Amino acid sequence: MIAYVTVGADDMVAAERFYSAFLPALGYRLERYHGDLSYILPVAAGERAISPDFYVKAPFDGGPATAGNGNMVAFEARNQTQVRALHAAALSAGGADEGQPGFRESYGPQFYVGYLRDPQGNKIALFSSDPKEAGRDG
């Protein structure tokens, strides 16, 4: 199981504006630690942590943050409506469109996804694959 995912950022204000536009709607709360951002899923007393946490950090080596080619982090939304709403919110918060929400021929008929780039260039996907919703084939 993946415990956490980290992306680099040089501008924490822009990163916080972008990620806080949609991660709280998916259940994450923001914690700040040494100037970095930690988006954590709440845990009830006596329960194990729900993975993965999502961290936005300045690179430890002191160099500039760079986005990886082929790297992407995907967040699951409740439904297609939420995918569209969170994609729009992230664009309004400084993200760049990397693919409008919709179905893709390359994936299963229920996989509804929108793609973004955060202000640093990291690729983010917001998706839903709820079998109770209409799929690509109707």
Side-chain angles (χ1 to χ4, degrees):
M1 174 176 288
I2 296 172
Y4 62 88
V5 174
T6 302
V7 296
D10 294 325
D11 184 340
M12 286 300 161
V13 172
E16 182 176 349
R17 183 174 51 250
F18 175 79
Y19 287 108
S20 291
F22 67 91
L23 286 179
L26 299 176
Y28 287 85
R29 75 174 191 278
L30 172 61
E31 294 181 2
R32 290 174 187 83
Y33 185 73
H34 296 291
D36 295 324
L37 309 174
S38 298
Y39 289 91
I40 310 292
L41 291 166
V43 179
E47 297 289 323
R48 281 188 57 144
I50 300 170
S51 296
D53 291 337
F54 185 74
Y55 304 138
V56 183
K57 299 181 171 291
F60 286 110
D61 68 3
T66 59
N69 185 24
N71 297 341
M72 180 175 59
V73 179
F75 294 96
E76 186 172 7
R78 289 187 299 276
N79 52 44
Q80 295 168 18
T81 300
Q82 190 179 37
V83 169
R84 289 188 297 273
L86 297 181
H87 187 273
L91 290 176
S92 294
D97 181 42
E98 191 73 10
Q100 284 291 306
F103 297 104
R104 305 297 195 272
E105 289 297 323
S106 302
Y107 305 119
Q110 295 301 131
F111 194 78
Y112 187 87
V113 62
Y115 297 101
L116 301 148
R117 294 278 177 178
D118 75 3
Q120 192 68 44
N122 296 298
K123 190 170 182 181
I124 303 296
L126 296 165
F127 78 94
S128 174
S129 56
D130 185 346
K132 294 179 256 168
E133 290 192 288
R136 180 179 63 226
D137 303 328

